[in-house]
Amino acid sequence: MDHVGTLVDAMTRPDRPLVLPSVMSADMTALGSQLGELGVAGARVFHVDVMDGHFVPNLTVGPDFAAAVARSVVPFGGLVDVHLMVERPGYLLEAFAPHADAISVHAEADPHVHRLLGEIRRLGCAAGLAINPGTPIDFVTELIGSFDYVNCMSVNPGFAGQSFIPTTPDKVARLRAVLPDDVWIEVDGGIGLGTLRDARDAGGQWMVSASAIFGTDDPVAAYGALAELAG
Ligand code: DX5
Ligand code: ZN
């Protein structure tokens, strides 16, 4: 898709963090209606987790699923953020790009991640550099200029429902201090009412949440509470 200008404009206002529902924990039997209800509640960017069983020990979804999410959210102005947790993700970029506004690839998943970030932009999406909890921020600073956002993992990627790693806010703050203002930081994993504020105050702007939304009896109310806390 081609909403990158809008996306980048929106994210250059670091005072307005967003909560991104992570669709992997949605009710797959009612995907469209659940995403539509979140849209009515104000959700605008939806996070799609793609796992290959190699880079992470779990399998999830492919481009057809991202297309289904896009069909559900584009009518109300929603955007799709694809998080590729796969080895050598280059072969998937062309398949996901038509259904995505933003795509992140892992620094640890390909020796030529700089090339992949350029490819994501060439395909009309915002380019995200994702880093595992153990990856130092030097990896990110070397590539400034090549990405639009950083996905700072706050759990070891692979599963929803894990605990937020408590050193993450310090890492986000160190990233924020070295990144240009127009680069936004996504914080992914273990975000809930007890952790969102620390991640936000450290400088995070995209707060990804699966369990704290879809693992509740009332995902719309849970999203609303998180969004209010995010400000
Ligand atoms: C984890 C995924 C996350 C996940 C977050 O590997 O990248 O996006 O959906 O799930 P919660 O919010 O339950 O930690
Ligand atoms: Zn994710």
Side-chain angles (χ1 to χ4, degrees), residues 56-88:
V56 293
N58 194 6
L59 278 170
T60 55
V61 296
D64 288 349
F65 181 82
V69 173
R71 280 197 301 277
S72 302
V73 305
V74 167
F76 60 79
L79 302 170
V80 178
D81 171 43
V82 172
H83 176 196
L84 292 177
M85 287 161 278
V86 306
E87 293 283 358
R88 300 291 191 119

mmCIF file of all heavy atoms in Angstrom, residues 56-88:
data_model
loop_
_atom_site.group_PDB
_atom_site.id
_atom_site.type_symbol
_atom_site.label_atom_id
_atom_site.label_comp_id
_atom_site.label_asym_id
_atom_site.label_seq_id
_atom_site.Cartn_x
_atom_site.Cartn_y
_atom_site.Cartn_z
ATOM 1 N N VAL A 56 12.184 -17.974 14.712
ATOM 2 C CA VAL A 56 11.528 -18.111 16.014
ATOM 3 C C VAL A 56 10.832 -19.470 16.058
ATOM 4 O O VAL A 56 10.459 -20.007 15.005
ATOM 5 C CB VAL A 56 10.492 -16.978 16.262
ATOM 6 C CG1 VAL A 56 11.181 -15.636 16.408
ATOM 7 C CG2 VAL A 56 9.459 -16.927 15.137
ATOM 8 N N PRO A 57 10.654 -20.017 17.253
ATOM 9 C CA PRO A 57 10.108 -21.385 17.342
ATOM 10 C C PRO A 57 8.587 -21.431 17.302
ATOM 11 O O PRO A 57 7.948 -22.050 18.125
ATOM 12 C CB PRO A 57 10.627 -21.861 18.700
ATOM 13 C CG PRO A 57 10.727 -20.613 19.508
ATOM 14 C CD PRO A 57 11.082 -19.511 18.556
ATOM 15 N N ASN A 58 8.015 -20.762 16.316
ATOM 16 C CA ASN A 58 6.559 -20.736 16.209
ATOM 17 C C ASN A 58 6.219 -20.434 14.755
ATOM 18 O O ASN A 58 7.029 -19.836 14.032
ATOM 19 C CB ASN A 58 5.988 -19.657 17.143
ATOM 20 C CG ASN A 58 4.496 -19.777 17.367
ATOM 21 O OD1 ASN A 58 3.860 -20.731 16.926
ATOM 22 N ND2 ASN A 58 3.924 -18.803 18.053
ATOM 23 N N LEU A 59 5.054 -20.839 14.354
ATOM 24 C CA LEU A 59 4.574 -20.603 12.989
ATOM 25 C C LEU A 59 3.294 -19.776 13.055
ATOM 26 O O LEU A 59 2.410 -20.079 13.856
ATOM 27 C CB LEU A 59 4.212 -21.928 12.324
ATOM 28 C CG LEU A 59 5.313 -22.771 11.691
ATOM 29 C CD1 LEU A 59 4.740 -24.139 11.331
ATOM 30 C CD2 LEU A 59 5.848 -22.085 10.449
ATOM 31 N N THR A 60 3.206 -18.769 12.201
ATOM 32 C CA THR A 60 1.928 -18.044 12.178
ATOM 33 C C THR A 60 1.409 -17.926 10.747
ATOM 34 O O THR A 60 0.999 -18.930 10.169
ATOM 35 C CB THR A 60 2.027 -16.671 12.869
ATOM 36 O OG1 THR A 60 3.079 -15.926 12.265
ATOM 37 C CG2 THR A 60 2.258 -16.808 14.366
ATOM 38 N N VAL A 61 1.466 -16.739 10.179
ATOM 39 C CA VAL A 61 0.639 -16.450 9.000
ATOM 40 C C VAL A 61 1.471 -15.990 7.811
ATOM 41 O O VAL A 61 2.647 -15.646 7.936
ATOM 42 C CB VAL A 61 -0.391 -15.353 9.343
ATOM 43 C CG1 VAL A 61 -1.355 -15.831 10.418
ATOM 44 C CG2 VAL A 61 0.319 -14.069 9.782
ATOM 45 N N GLY A 62 0.810 -15.964 6.637
ATOM 46 C CA GLY A 62 1.456 -15.511 5.412
ATOM 47 C C GLY A 62 0.770 -14.309 4.808
ATOM 48 O O GLY A 62 -0.095 -13.685 5.438
ATOM 49 N N PRO A 63 1.135 -13.986 3.578
ATOM 50 C CA PRO A 63 0.608 -12.774 2.928
ATOM 51 C C PRO A 63 -0.911 -12.760 2.793
ATOM 52 O O PRO A 63 -1.522 -11.687 2.867
ATOM 53 C CB PRO A 63 1.268 -12.793 1.542
ATOM 54 C CG PRO A 63 2.472 -13.660 1.695
ATOM 55 C CD PRO A 63 2.166 -14.660 2.764
ATOM 56 N N ASP A 64 -1.540 -13.920 2.608
ATOM 57 C CA ASP A 64 -3.009 -13.923 2.468
ATOM 58 C C ASP A 64 -3.690 -13.410 3.736
ATOM 59 O O ASP A 64 -4.735 -12.759 3.680
ATOM 60 C CB ASP A 64 -3.527 -15.329 2.162
ATOM 61 C CG ASP A 64 -3.183 -15.767 0.751
ATOM 62 O OD1 ASP A 64 -2.727 -14.909 -0.047
ATOM 63 O OD2 ASP A 64 -3.347 -16.960 0.447
ATOM 64 N N PHE A 65 -3.071 -13.733 4.868
ATOM 65 C CA PHE A 65 -3.650 -13.243 6.122
ATOM 66 C C PHE A 65 -3.475 -11.724 6.219
ATOM 67 O O PHE A 65 -4.411 -11.010 6.621
ATOM 68 C CB PHE A 65 -2.987 -13.939 7.312
ATOM 69 C CG PHE A 65 -3.542 -13.502 8.635
ATOM 70 C CD1 PHE A 65 -4.717 -14.051 9.120
ATOM 71 C CD2 PHE A 65 -2.901 -12.518 9.379
ATOM 72 C CE1 PHE A 65 -5.242 -13.634 10.338
ATOM 73 C CE2 PHE A 65 -3.419 -12.098 10.603
ATOM 74 C CZ PHE A 65 -4.589 -12.659 11.078
ATOM 75 N N ALA A 66 -2.314 -11.234 5.846
ATOM 76 C CA ALA A 66 -2.110 -9.773 5.859
ATOM 77 C C ALA A 66 -3.119 -9.099 4.934
ATOM 78 O O ALA A 66 -3.641 -8.019 5.247
ATOM 79 C CB ALA A 66 -0.678 -9.432 5.449
ATOM 80 N N ALA A 67 -3.411 -9.756 3.805
ATOM 81 C CA ALA A 67 -4.401 -9.195 2.875
ATOM 82 C C ALA A 67 -5.780 -9.138 3.532
ATOM 83 O O ALA A 67 -6.527 -8.166 3.355
ATOM 84 C CB ALA A 67 -4.451 -10.036 1.602
ATOM 85 N N ALA A 68 -6.113 -10.161 4.304
ATOM 86 C CA ALA A 68 -7.418 -10.180 4.988
ATOM 87 C C ALA A 68 -7.483 -9.065 6.035
ATOM 88 O O ALA A 68 -8.512 -8.403 6.198
ATOM 89 C CB ALA A 68 -7.651 -11.546 5.639
ATOM 90 N N VAL A 69 -6.387 -8.864 6.739
ATOM 91 C CA VAL A 69 -6.350 -7.762 7.717
ATOM 92 C C VAL A 69 -6.513 -6.434 6.991
ATOM 93 O O VAL A 69 -7.305 -5.574 7.403
ATOM 94 C CB VAL A 69 -5.037 -7.797 8.531
ATOM 95 C CG1 VAL A 69 -4.921 -6.552 9.417
ATOM 96 C CG2 VAL A 69 -4.967 -9.068 9.381
ATOM 97 N N ALA A 70 -5.798 -6.280 5.886
ATOM 98 C CA ALA A 70 -5.893 -5.023 5.133
ATOM 99 C C ALA A 70 -7.324 -4.788 4.650
ATOM 100 O O ALA A 70 -7.854 -3.674 4.762
ATOM 101 C CB ALA A 70 -4.917 -5.042 3.960
ATOM 102 N N ARG A 71 -7.964 -5.838 4.141
ATOM 103 C CA ARG A 71 -9.360 -5.676 3.680
ATOM 104 C C ARG A 71 -10.277 -5.255 4.819
ATOM 105 O O ARG A 71 -11.257 -4.546 4.626
ATOM 106 C CB ARG A 71 -9.883 -6.981 3.083
ATOM 107 C CG ARG A 71 -9.448 -7.234 1.655
ATOM 108 C CD ARG A 71 -10.312 -8.299 0.981
ATOM 109 N NE ARG A 71 -10.286 -9.580 1.679
ATOM 110 C CZ ARG A 71 -9.347 -10.514 1.531
ATOM 111 N NH1 ARG A 71 -8.340 -10.301 0.701
ATOM 112 N NH2 ARG A 71 -9.401 -11.643 2.204
ATOM 113 N N SER A 72 -9.944 -5.676 6.034
ATOM 114 C CA SER A 72 -10.785 -5.341 7.186
ATOM 115 C C SER A 72 -10.558 -3.917 7.678
ATOM 116 O O SER A 72 -11.479 -3.292 8.186
ATOM 117 C CB SER A 72 -10.497 -6.307 8.348
ATOM 118 O OG SER A 72 -10.723 -7.636 7.960
ATOM 119 N N VAL A 73 -9.321 -3.429 7.569
ATOM 120 C CA VAL A 73 -9.012 -2.148 8.232
ATOM 121 C C VAL A 73 -8.887 -0.966 7.277
ATOM 122 O O VAL A 73 -9.112 0.177 7.690
ATOM 123 C CB VAL A 73 -7.745 -2.260 9.118
ATOM 124 C CG1 VAL A 73 -7.894 -3.403 10.114
ATOM 125 C CG2 VAL A 73 -6.460 -2.386 8.312
ATOM 126 N N VAL A 74 -8.534 -1.227 6.021
ATOM 127 C CA VAL A 74 -8.367 -0.104 5.085
ATOM 128 C C VAL A 74 -9.658 0.704 4.925
ATOM 129 O O VAL A 74 -9.611 1.940 4.859
ATOM 130 C CB VAL A 74 -7.819 -0.605 3.728
ATOM 131 C CG1 VAL A 74 -7.936 0.476 2.644
ATOM 132 C CG2 VAL A 74 -6.354 -1.036 3.886
ATOM 133 N N PRO A 75 -10.855 0.059 4.900
ATOM 134 C CA PRO A 75 -12.081 0.847 4.733
ATOM 135 C C PRO A 75 -12.283 1.920 5.798
ATOM 136 O O PRO A 75 -12.933 2.937 5.538
ATOM 137 C CB PRO A 75 -13.195 -0.207 4.804
ATOM 138 C CG PRO A 75 -12.533 -1.461 4.319
ATOM 139 C CD PRO A 75 -11.131 -1.392 4.831
ATOM 140 N N PHE A 76 -11.737 1.723 7.006
ATOM 141 C CA PHE A 76 -11.888 2.802 8.003
ATOM 142 C C PHE A 76 -10.584 3.578 8.192
ATOM 143 O O PHE A 76 -10.385 4.256 9.210
ATOM 144 C CB PHE A 76 -12.455 2.286 9.342
ATOM 145 C CG PHE A 76 -11.631 1.232 10.047
ATOM 146 C CD1 PHE A 76 -10.516 1.582 10.787
ATOM 147 C CD2 PHE A 76 -11.995 -0.108 9.997
ATOM 148 C CE1 PHE A 76 -9.769 0.620 11.452
ATOM 149 C CE2 PHE A 76 -11.256 -1.082 10.658
ATOM 150 C CZ PHE A 76 -10.137 -0.714 11.394
ATOM 151 N N GLY A 77 -9.680 3.493 7.223
ATOM 152 C CA GLY A 77 -8.444 4.270 7.305
ATOM 153 C C GLY A 77 -7.353 3.596 8.104
ATOM 154 O O GLY A 77 -6.357 4.232 8.468
ATOM 155 N N GLY A 78 -7.511 2.295 8.379
ATOM 156 C CA GLY A 78 -6.505 1.577 9.147
ATOM 157 C C GLY A 78 -5.276 1.251 8.312
ATOM 158 O O GLY A 78 -5.331 1.188 7.082
ATOM 159 N N LEU A 79 -4.164 1.068 9.002
ATOM 160 C CA LEU A 79 -2.889 0.752 8.368
ATOM 161 C C LEU A 79 -2.384 -0.582 8.898
ATOM 162 O O LEU A 79 -2.752 -1.004 9.998
ATOM 163 C CB LEU A 79 -1.863 1.856 8.675
ATOM 164 C CG LEU A 79 -2.248 3.285 8.247
ATOM 165 C CD1 LEU A 79 -1.260 4.300 8.828
ATOM 166 C CD2 LEU A 79 -2.295 3.398 6.734
ATOM 167 N N VAL A 80 -1.542 -1.233 8.099
ATOM 168 C CA VAL A 80 -1.045 -2.569 8.457
ATOM 169 C C VAL A 80 0.467 -2.522 8.631
ATOM 170 O O VAL A 80 1.199 -2.083 7.747
ATOM 171 C CB VAL A 80 -1.418 -3.591 7.363
ATOM 172 C CG1 VAL A 80 -0.868 -4.971 7.716
ATOM 173 C CG2 VAL A 80 -2.933 -3.651 7.183
ATOM 174 N N ASP A 81 0.913 -2.995 9.794
ATOM 175 C CA ASP A 81 2.339 -3.075 10.132
ATOM 176 C C ASP A 81 2.708 -4.555 10.201
ATOM 177 O O ASP A 81 2.188 -5.287 11.042
ATOM 178 C CB ASP A 81 2.550 -2.398 11.501
ATOM 179 C CG ASP A 81 3.944 -2.612 12.072
ATOM 180 O OD1 ASP A 81 4.922 -2.501 11.312
ATOM 181 O OD2 ASP A 81 4.054 -2.860 13.301
ATOM 182 N N VAL A 82 3.573 -4.999 9.298
ATOM 183 C CA VAL A 82 3.961 -6.421 9.243
ATOM 184 C C VAL A 82 5.325 -6.598 9.914
ATOM 185 O O VAL A 82 6.296 -5.927 9.552
ATOM 186 C CB VAL A 82 3.997 -6.914 7.781
ATOM 187 C CG1 VAL A 82 4.598 -8.317 7.702
ATOM 188 C CG2 VAL A 82 2.601 -6.900 7.176
ATOM 189 N N HIS A 83 5.384 -7.508 10.872
ATOM 190 C CA HIS A 83 6.618 -7.804 11.606
ATOM 191 C C HIS A 83 7.090 -9.180 11.164
ATOM 192 O O HIS A 83 6.491 -10.194 11.522
ATOM 193 C CB HIS A 83 6.305 -7.760 13.112
ATOM 194 C CG HIS A 83 7.441 -8.132 13.999
ATOM 195 N ND1 HIS A 83 7.266 -8.463 15.334
ATOM 196 C CD2 HIS A 83 8.784 -8.230 13.766
ATOM 197 C CE1 HIS A 83 8.431 -8.741 15.872
ATOM 198 N NE2 HIS A 83 9.366 -8.619 14.955
ATOM 199 N N LEU A 84 8.167 -9.197 10.372
ATOM 200 C CA LEU A 84 8.656 -10.457 9.802
ATOM 201 C C LEU A 84 9.676 -11.097 10.732
ATOM 202 O O LEU A 84 10.827 -10.649 10.802
ATOM 203 C CB LEU A 84 9.275 -10.201 8.426
ATOM 204 C CG LEU A 84 8.314 -9.770 7.311
ATOM 205 C CD1 LEU A 84 9.088 -9.488 6.029
ATOM 206 C CD2 LEU A 84 7.233 -10.823 7.080
ATOM 207 N N MET A 85 9.273 -12.134 11.428
ATOM 208 C CA MET A 85 10.190 -12.915 12.271
ATOM 209 C C MET A 85 10.547 -14.178 11.513
ATOM 210 O O MET A 85 10.140 -15.293 11.871
ATOM 211 C CB MET A 85 9.524 -13.226 13.619
ATOM 212 C CG MET A 85 9.424 -12.002 14.522
ATOM 213 S SD MET A 85 8.183 -12.215 15.820
ATOM 214 C CE MET A 85 6.719 -11.803 14.892
ATOM 215 N N VAL A 86 11.272 -13.990 10.416
ATOM 216 C CA VAL A 86 11.638 -15.113 9.546
ATOM 217 C C VAL A 86 13.106 -14.976 9.165
ATOM 218 O O VAL A 86 13.638 -13.872 9.076
ATOM 219 C CB VAL A 86 10.757 -15.156 8.268
ATOM 220 C CG1 VAL A 86 9.283 -15.151 8.626
ATOM 221 C CG2 VAL A 86 11.059 -14.009 7.339
ATOM 222 N N GLU A 87 13.748 -16.131 8.923
ATOM 223 C CA GLU A 87 15.109 -16.139 8.389
ATOM 224 C C GLU A 87 15.090 -15.572 6.976
ATOM 225 O O GLU A 87 14.188 -15.879 6.194
ATOM 226 C CB GLU A 87 15.640 -17.577 8.294
ATOM 227 C CG GLU A 87 15.871 -18.274 9.606
ATOM 228 C CD GLU A 87 17.134 -17.830 10.311
ATOM 229 O OE1 GLU A 87 17.884 -16.988 9.760
ATOM 230 O OE2 GLU A 87 17.353 -18.325 11.423
ATOM 231 N N ARG A 88 16.096 -14.785 6.654
ATOM 232 C CA ARG A 88 16.263 -14.276 5.278
ATOM 233 C C ARG A 88 14.939 -13.774 4.703
ATOM 234 O O ARG A 88 14.408 -14.354 3.733
ATOM 235 C CB ARG A 88 16.840 -15.376 4.383
ATOM 236 C CG ARG A 88 18.198 -15.902 4.828
ATOM 237 C CD ARG A 88 19.258 -14.837 4.626
ATOM 238 N NE ARG A 88 20.586 -15.376 4.789
ATOM 239 C CZ ARG A 88 21.521 -15.374 3.824
ATOM 240 N NH1 ARG A 88 21.257 -14.866 2.653
ATOM 241 N NH2 ARG A 88 22.715 -15.849 4.078
#
